[in-house]
Amino acid sequence: MEEPEMQLKGKKVTDKFTESVYVLANEPSVALYRLQEHVRRSLPELAQHKADMQRWEEQSQGAIYTVEYACSAVKNLVDSSVYFRSVEGLLKQAINIRDHMNATAQGHSPQELPPPSSA
């Protein structure tokens, strides 16, 4: 065979070989194998991230509940100021009555003491 003919046949063989290698390298089963490798490598890290996120979510939910409960308690305290003022008035009235009774028991005339206030 002549040199150009040999080169042509050699080129055809190398082209066919290159094409076969290219097809083999891009075959779907190879792609699936590479995908499986990627999943196997990255799955543990993703699972750890998921566990961390769930733990942080639980902690956040606990903190949110605590803050909401504290806000509710403060609101109830503000709302109960009316009752505290009422109790304060009743205590003042009880102290005045006690002082009046003590003065009466010690022999002072009730006219000398101011009357118990009805605050």
Side-chain angles (χ1 to χ4, degrees), residues 23-116:
V23 168
L24 186 61
N26 291 308
E27 186 178 346
S29 62
V30 174
L32 291 175
Y33 173 75
R34 294 195 189 283
L35 184 61
Q36 180 185 12
E37 278 183 333
H38 173 71
V39 168
R40 195 175 300 161
R41 275 194 312 261
S42 60
L43 189 62
E45 185 179 343
L46 290 173
Q48 182 61 44
H49 283 304
K50 180 182 178 186
D52 291 344
M53 292 300 288
Q54 286 174 334
R55 185 173 37 83
W56 291 336
E57 180 185 16
E58 289 172 7
Q59 290 174 348
S60 297
Q61 289 298 328
I64 289 169
Y65 175 77
T66 301
V67 168
E68 286 176 347
Y69 184 75
C71 288
S72 173
V74 168
K75 183 182 180 304
N76 288 337
L77 279 174
V78 169
D79 291 344
S80 64
S81 65
V82 172
Y83 303 109
F84 284 125
R85 283 193 295 273
S86 174
V87 168
E88 180 185 23
L90 291 172
L91 285 172
K92 285 180 181 179
Q93 186 179 1
I95 290 170
N96 284 337
I97 291 172
R98 181 202 63 190
D99 290 345
H100 188 71
M101 290 173 68
N102 284 342
T104 304
Q106 291 176 358
H108 295 301
S109 164
Q111 289 83 15
E112 296 174 10
L113 295 173

